[in-house]
Structure formats: structure tokens, C-alpha cells
Amino acid sequence: MSLIIGRPHISLKNLNVYYGHLQVLKNITLDIPDRQITVIIGPSGCGKTTLLKTLNRLLDSVEGVRVEGRVLVDGEDIYSPGVEVTRIRKKMGLLSQRPQVLPMSIYDNVAYGPRIHGLKNKQQLDQIVERYLRIAGLWDEVKDRLSEPASRLSLGQQQRLCLARGLAVEPEIILGDEPTSALDPQSSQNVEKCLLSLKSQYTVLLVTHILRQARRIADYIVFLYLGEIVEHGPAQEVLNNPRDPRTKAYLSGEIS
Amino acid sequence: MKWRFLEEKIFRAVMIIATSLTALILILIIGTVVVKGFKALKLEMIFRLPQGGYYFGREGGILNSIIGSLQLAGGATILAFFFSLPIVFYLNYFSKSKSIWPTLIRFSLDVLWGVPSIVYGAFGFLLMTWFGWTASLLLGIITLALLEIPIMSRAMDEVLKLVPPDLLEASFSLGATKFETAWKVVIRQALPGILTAILIAFGRAIGDAASVLLTAGYTDNITTSLFQPVASLPLAIFFQLGTPYPEVQQRAYAAAIILTLIILLISYLSRRITRRYAKHLVF
């Protein structure tokens, strides 16, 4: 049973991705449900990150990459010629493995996105910075030192700052590439809590190799193995009653 | 004793010898200049123009050369910067990955870096005769800028290569264009290195005699127009050393002290400025 409530937010149709002659993603067809947390699990090197980068076209800048097939976001093929890459990327906030703050103050990090998209009004910027720092659960910790360099924050705080920065451009989708892998347990929990509170308004797509994390937050699970989708479905179903022997093997720790 | 430990000791000795020899030579050069020029170094030198009979050891100073050198090197550095920045943006962010141009351009810049400055001077001189210009501040600036561009752009190029790709991705993922990313993120992150590159180029230009010899001319006055000849410290040193009068030769060394101090001062100031921005760097 491939149960999706409502229309899918992102649809992949026969997606193939090649690095030179090496095929990294093989014939991926997948619907990602709207406003739920979809978690992609799978051993390292199975193409999880590539899949994520295909969605916001960050793959464009990598040398020798070829993308075939269709990626529909809100029904629009984002790889069709004439599509503005910046508009596609604005729809998706990205959390990377290591938090990557920009070389500027805490305030400027959050205001960076709105500013490049044309917002100049100081009052509105102030509001945006406060609103999204609050959503990311960082406001109380940084409200008195907004002009300090973002690089002085702890890693956990930096990741939440990155979340606030991503949300500030008002995306519809949040992409997370193992966003807690560089963080301590407490910070990881904070980030997870944030993501759970955000799913009522955003479609969240998360890559992780931590099974427990998938169990804690996933609504929908995709198991990727050697560039192929082995199994996908509602989280409880895939995690508790996997159908494919490879999924069983991965969940029980035999493949890692 | 084991060979490994002996090896370590030998290598340590080689390092110490090489480093201290270099330091010694530097001290000798600066020492010679200071000892020989110290007597002639008076405030008058910095604040006055050459007066009558200056080149026979009489009154006056080298204010014309100090200001001229700053005009020449400052102008050339600004001009070179407006060429170097687009070059390195292109090389690092806008060139197609399979294009042969970046390799070719880097190679040409490396070759140009090694071209002796008298060749730039000769090229400027050629321009001058072709177009019927006379030696002037503008031509000196253009020639020095040509000398500076390979140095500045290759030094900045190496700096931009060190900017982490993840930082670019973070900016791209917010919907920033390449230019916005380069302009607002890369420049901030690479600022200390960019300033160093500018400084190296400036230092090279202010100390160069051969490229201004034929193109900028010389004058005893302060130059106020781009189309007039201009004096410079290296040429002041060159002319004064060439006289048979010991007092005048002394002044050449004094001028060398001033030139060194200017470079030291600018180097110090730019480091101070860099430090103010460096606190934002993410690595």
C-alpha cells in the first residue's frame, strides 16, 4: 500500500543521475507527500545526498553530472529549459551535514536571503529575523548579540541558525542532509523538535543514516539502496513490516 | 643513534641555517640602508621639494617623489583591482568546467608574472610613441597596472580556491545567483587574502623603477594632472645613487628608508583593517 494523503508535493519520474559513466540514481519514481516528514534511509554511498541535491539543482554545479527523467515540484518540471534556478532554490531550504553559516553576523545570516530577494525595509527585516530565529528556537539565546559573528555560536546553535536562515526566504520545502550528524545529542534533539513543529506548514525531506532518528520523526520512509528505491511507504509500515528482504536486512543492521 | 633521529637532526640544522641566512641578509640590507642614509634623513626630506642645486647636495627634499610614488602605485593598484577581480570571479565561478580558457588564462598570468618590469616599461614606451603621448602620470599608472594585474589576480585566485564549496552551496541554496554569492559571501570570506594580494601588488608597483623610467618621466614638482610627468621614489634613488657626490648618495639611501617605511606602514594598516573583518570568517 503506497498511501499518500492529498496530492504529492514533489514527484520524481524515472529519474536517472550519472556521474560520468557511473550511474548513481537508477530509475527513481517517487511521490513525496505534502506537509509530512519524509525520511530517506540507506547505507552511505547509496545516493541519498545526490537525490537531495537533484531536487534543488545544486547538482548543476558538479562537473560531469547528467540528469535524466523528470522532477516535478508543484507540478512544474524543474529541469525543463527556461526554469529559473534561483526561484526553484528559493522554494527549498537546505540544511547540510555540517552547519554552514555565512561569514557575517547572526542578524545578517538570517537577513541574507530576504535581502538578495529584494527586501530592504529595516523594520520588516527585523521582524523576519526575530520571527524565524524564534521558530528555530534560537531567539532567546542570541537576541542580545545579533551583531556578533555567527561563527562564534556553537555547532548546534549554528545549525538552528541555518534553519532560520533557510526559513527566512519562505520556502515550501525543507531539505535536510543528515542535519544532525555533526551535532551533540542535545542539539540533535533540538533540531528534531524544530522539524516536527514545522511539518504542519512545510514539506520536510530528510536524509539520515540514523535509524532511531527515522523512527522518531518520519511519517513516510524511503529506503534507498545502491541507487535504487527498494521500498517506500508510511513509516510504521516500512519500519515494522518491511516487505523486501533487503529492507529487513538493513533495519536489522546486517547491511550498513 | 638511529638513522631516523639523525635525519631529524640534520633536517633541523638545514632549516635553521636557511632561515637564519635569509634573516641575516634582510638585516644586512636594511642595516646598510639605514646606516648609510640615516645622516641624510631629516624632516626636510619628507616635507620639502628639491630646491636649487639639490642634486649637488644642497637644499630641499623628496616630497615630489613620495607623493608621486603614492599616486603612481595607488592609481595602478586601483586600476589593477578593477581588472583582477572580474578575472578571478570568471576563473573560479563563471567559467564552464570543461572550458580550456581558465587554464590558458592562468598560464598566461603566470608567464606575465615572470616578465621583467623593463619589458612593461618598453611596452608603455611603445604605446607612448605610437600615440604621440608624452611621459605622464597616466601612462605610468597604466604600465604599473599591467605589471600588477598578473600578481594581484593570481594571488587572489589562490585565495578564492580556498573558499569552501559548502559555503557557496549554502548561499546558492537560498536562491542567490553566482554574482551575489561571489560579491556578498566569497569576498567577505576571502577578504584577508584579497587584501594581502592587493598589498603584494602595491608593494611591487611602488618599488619598481624600470617600468616608470620610460613612461612616467620625472619632475621636481608635485604632479597635479594625469597628463604631466611624475616623480617616483625608485627613480629618485636611482638618479641620486648615480651622482658622484657622497652627500647625494646618502640622500638616496635616506629615500630608500622612506620607501621601506611607506610599505611597512601600508602593510600594518591593511592588517589592522583585515583584523576588523576577520572575526566573521567561518573557518
Side-chain angles (χ1 to χ4, degrees), chain A residues 53 89 100-101 103 112 117, chain B residues 97 166 169 171-172 174 280 282:
Chain A
K53 286 189 174 176
R89 288 183 184 150
Q100 195 67 58
V101 298
Y112 178 79
H117 294 295
Chain B
S97 58
D166 291 351
E169 284 195 353
S171 173
F172 290 146
L174 294 167
H280 284 299
V282 290

